[in-house]
Amino acid sequence: MTDPVHLDAVMAELISSGATGALEVKCDKKRWLFFLSGGALVFTRSNLKSEQIESIKAKAGDLPNNELFRLQAVRRVRNALRATPFTHAYHKGA
């Protein structure tokens, strides 16, 4: 559904309520999935090449894997928050 509120409000509500599931965000052909467990972001996915680990590794240099994954999650959240207009769906328990 297209939502007049900002995506940060949607994410904040899921995090503060301790949600467990997947938040799917779409903007045209761009797609992000944010997996939450007890309100914590535990995994992300996207279909954007610039957000894949190889692209991040090429730009960030020689960092440990945990730092590369953190940068990847930050990039995905940031890009999804900038997406307008967006649609979203929450899949509880996913």
Side-chain angles (χ1 to χ4, degrees):
M1 69 180 179
T2 302
D3 200 324
V5 300
H6 295 280
L7 186 57
D8 57 350
V10 173
M11 288 183 166
E13 174 62 28
L14 291 171
I15 291 167
S16 66
S17 69
T20 296
L23 175 63
E24 180 179 21
V25 180
K26 293 181 182 178
C27 179
D28 297 322
K29 293 182 180 182
K30 298 174 184 175
R31 181 175 178 244
W32 298 271
L33 286 169
F34 300 100
F35 295 89
L36 301 165
S37 178
L41 183 64
V42 295
F43 188 73
T44 64
R45 292 186 70 182
S46 88
N47 66 346
L48 302 175
K49 287 185 181 184
S50 65
E51 295 177 357
Q52 302 311 313
I53 204 71
E54 297 81 18
S55 177
I56 293 169
K57 189 179 282 190
K59 291 179 183 176
D62 190 26
L63 293 175
N65 282 343
N66 64 333
E67 185 63 17
L68 290 171
F69 294 135
R70 188 192 69 77
L71 288 173
Q72 183 182 52
V74 167
R75 179 175 287 178
R76 288 177 174 169
V77 169
R78 182 191 66 214
N79 288 342
L81 289 173
R82 292 179 178 168
T84 55
F86 71 91
T87 59
H88 77 280
Y90 178 67
H91 309 284
K92 187 176 181 178

